[in-house]
Amino acid sequence: MRRLVIVGTQWGDEGKGKITDYLAQNADLVVRYQGGNNAGHTVVFDGKKYSLHLLPSGILNPKIDNVMANGMVINPKAFVEEISKVSDFSLHISDRAHVVLPYHLELDKAYEALKGSKNIGTTHKGIGPTYTDKSSRIGMRVSTFIHEERFRSSLYELIREKNIELGLLKHPLLNFEAIYNEYSVYAKVMAPYVTDTSLYLNQAIESDKKILFEGAQGVLLCLDHGTYPFVTSSSPTASSVPLNTGIAPWLVEGAIGVTKAYTTRVGSGPMPSEIHSELASHIRTVGNEFGTTTGRPRRIGWLDTVILRHTKRVSGLSYLAVTLLDVLTGIDELKIAISYTLDGVEIDRIPAEIEDFERCIPNYITMPGWHEDITQVKSYDDLPINAKNYLFRIVELVGVPIGMFSVGPDRNQTIMVKNIF
Ligand code: IMP
């Protein structure tokens, strides 16, 4: 395949950055197509650990061209901070992407506070309010942001309006001059990278370039197909790539679904296979399950194949990349959720109503675990029989072949099973 999407199959944090970094060794371009700096992709490069939030994971490799496409929301301050930490890179930013401005962050915090215990548990990065403005047709696009006069006049009007909203929410108001002075400097840093990335990508496709589309978050956080309202405000599915990048749907050749060997979730909302025993803190410690963006401890659960079948259906998945398999080493018995029981009836779907999803009780199969150290294995055949059986069961239950798996954070701990890209 020459154009492959990397999709998070669960609630995000599946290890997409590492998989992108690995596959990017064969890529010409890496494209981020949705979300903003709510994402957190950890990439180890030349023995150094990088936490990327906004920039595509190919940014550390000078041979790769990187694109931030129209479906993204870009915080200019975060962009300038992140770009200052990398050197020798190639980057193109869509003139149609939307800009996250300080009032979006304030509104994110204010609305979360208003919801109290019923909050979504957002990353407070202003993502929801920025996409809201995009839909309400009062957003600011990158093309306006880098235009000195248009930026000034739009910002003036928008801050005037947003201060009325913030006042109603009893939130501190924003100062136009201070924000303008600070953000016009960021606009100058961003301007040289801005272009029509749809044109750029289509030309790259015509030149037969190999492209990785790097999803952020996970399909269960999709605004349409996720566990609404406990979702982000964009679509991390493979099916959203054409819209969010400006290419034809048939140009996307396949999707690799990155799947943890178990399940995690940050933020609020139901998680049927959540583990509440001591085992959760064991997995959290071994897997270092703390948010890259917010540092929050992640909730831990058993692998849930109702979720994976849902993701396969709504997004499309050609292969699975199973990550963090090594974290399960040493656990005597492993459970896999295969269906739910809702009000006494067995179901194989995620109910639309969150109150119904909350009442879903998972039905499990149990499999024997393994105790052998697997962090040095180099092939599927090297795995202990119980680990092989665990992976094989996943393939059977989800109906998607495993293309690769990983047994540790380093690039050489990622093992290809199929030659997919
Ligand atoms: P928002 O994207 O900041 O609006 O947050 C909405 C929900 O998505 C919250 O539950 C967040 O914890 C979750 N979320 C957003 N980005 C990520 C991510 O990259 N990994 C995991 N969860 C995320």
Side-chain angles (χ1 to χ4, degrees):
M1 282 188 271
R2 300 194 69 77
R3 290 175 293 279
L4 183 67
V5 190
I6 315 254
V7 172
T9 59
Q10 297 157 320
W11 276 286
D13 309 317
E14 299 92 349
K16 293 177 294 293
K18 194 174 58 154
I19 297 297
T20 309
D21 172 63
Y22 186 89
L23 294 174
Q25 295 174 93
N26 295 324
D28 299 305
L29 272 90
V30 176
V31 182
R32 272 273 317 255
Y33 61 94
Q34 44 74 225
N37 63 329
N38 47 349
H41 291 173
T42 309
V43 178
V44 181
F45 190 74
D46 273 351
K48 226 173 132 186
K49 193 169 155 185
Y50 294 85
S51 290
L52 301 172
H53 299 283
L54 207 43
L55 299 174
S57 293
I59 201 80
L60 304 171
N61 185 337
K63 284 191 254 142
I64 295 174
D65 237 347
N66 293 275
V67 173
M68 296 166 76
N70 56 280
M72 283 194 77
V73 289
I74 303 173
N75 178 326
K77 185 177 184 164
F79 170 78
V80 170
E81 274 168 20
E82 220 166 287
I83 207 91
S84 69
K85 296 195 185 114
V86 291
S87 53
D88 200 12
F89 57 85
S90 163
L91 177 68
H92 306 272
I93 301 173
S94 169
D95 48 9
R96 287 157 169 86
H98 277 245
V99 175
V100 182
L101 289 161
Y103 48 78
H104 293 126
L105 281 83
E106 296 310 318
L107 288 167
D108 198 352
K109 284 181 224 155
Y111 280 112
E112 280 286 272
L114 197 66
K115 290 192 183 101
S117 62
K118 294 203 170 123
N119 69 0
I120 289 167
T122 74
T123 58
H124 286 178
K125 301 290 180 192
I127 305 300
T130 308
Y131 279 115
T132 302
D133 281 1
K134 176 178 176 176
S135 300
S136 303
R137 295 158 296 179
I138 52 164
M140 186 173 307
R141 303 212 290 190
V142 167
S143 54
T144 309
F145 178 61
I146 60 166
H147 189 289
E148 213 171 315
E149 290 128 49
R150 289 183 204 141
F151 172 49
R152 192 181 167 90
S153 57
S154 303
L155 187 72
Y156 182 81
E157 274 312 309
L158 286 165
I159 290 190
R160 198 178 58 80
E161 283 168 27
K162 295 295 178 182
N163 272 343
I164 297 172
E165 196 175 348
L166 286 168
L168 290 173
L169 291 162
K170 310 223 176 332
H171 205 81
L173 304 189
L174 296 170
N175 178 286
F176 163 72
E177 283 299 339
I179 294 175
Y180 175 73
N181 290 337
E182 182 183 349
Y183 277 68
S184 51
V185 175
Y186 302 146
K188 288 199 173 66
V189 179
M190 198 186 274
Y193 304 105
V194 177
T195 190
D196 182 333
T197 52
S198 163
L199 264 179
Y200 183 76
L201 280 171
N202 279 281
Q203 279 159 4
I205 292 168
E206 271 168 35
S207 313
D208 205 28
K209 300 276 190 223
K210 285 185 86 173
I211 306 179
L212 276 183
F213 297 95
E214 179 183 22
Q217 290 87 43
V219 169
L220 287 196
L221 292 171
C222 172
L223 188 57
D224 279 79
H225 297 291
T227 48
Y228 192 88
F230 298 103
V231 292
T232 191
S233 296
S234 65
S235 174
T237 59
S239 45
S240 85
V241 168
L243 176 70
N244 285 321
T245 62
I247 66 165
W250 45 86
L251 294 174
V252 177
E253 295 187 329
I256 183 144
V258 187
T259 304
K260 262 182 192 165
Y262 45 95
T263 308
T264 63
R265 176 165 204 178
V266 277
S268 328
M271 179 182 181
S273 68
E274 186 163 8
I275 302 171
H276 296 284
S277 67
E278 201 31 48
L279 183 62
S281 57
H282 165 79
I283 294 178
R284 186 176 301 116
T285 309
V286 179
N288 192 24
E289 294 293 0
F290 297 89
T292 319
T293 302
T294 57
R296 290 179 288 181
R298 294 176 184 144
R299 296 156 65 192
I300 311 286
W302 295 113
L303 188 76
D304 183 338
T305 59
V306 180
I307 286 172
L308 298 182
R309 284 188 295 275
H310 172 89
T311 296
K312 172 186 156 190
R313 196 174 60 247
V314 301
S315 162
L317 296 178
S318 325
Y319 293 99
L320 292 175
V322 179
T323 56
L324 293 130
L325 190 62
D326 54 300
V327 174
L328 296 183
T329 301
I331 301 173
D332 290 336
E333 279 196 331
L334 301 171
K335 291 186 182 183
I336 300 180
I338 53 164
S339 64
Y340 302 144
T341 296
L342 174 62
D343 300 334
V345 178
E346 189 177 5
I347 59 167
D348 181 19
R349 61 184 174 84
I350 297 175
E353 282 294 295
I354 210 72
E355 286 78 7
D356 293 338
F357 191 36
E358 237 152 36
R359 284 183 293 111
C360 282
I361 302 161
N363 300 308
Y364 293 109
I365 53 163
T366 303
M367 301 192 65
W370 59 91
H371 291 265
E372 299 88 336
D373 177 10
I374 59 169
T375 56
Q376 304 306 318
V377 304
K378 296 284 173 255
S379 72
Y380 175 79
D381 290 337
D382 290 348
L383 286 171
I385 185 73
N386 287 351
K388 275 187 197 154
N389 287 343
Y390 187 71
L391 290 183
F392 185 72
R393 212 59 213 267
I394 297 173
V395 173
E396 260 188 355
L397 288 165
V398 187
V400 177
I402 289 179
M404 55 204 290
F405 66 93
S406 76
V407 290
D410 261 50
R411 214 185 243 178
N412 62 10
Q413 289 173 300
T414 298
I415 292 120
M416 291 299 283
V417 179
K418 300 239 162 63
N419 189 12
I420 49 184
F421 184 69

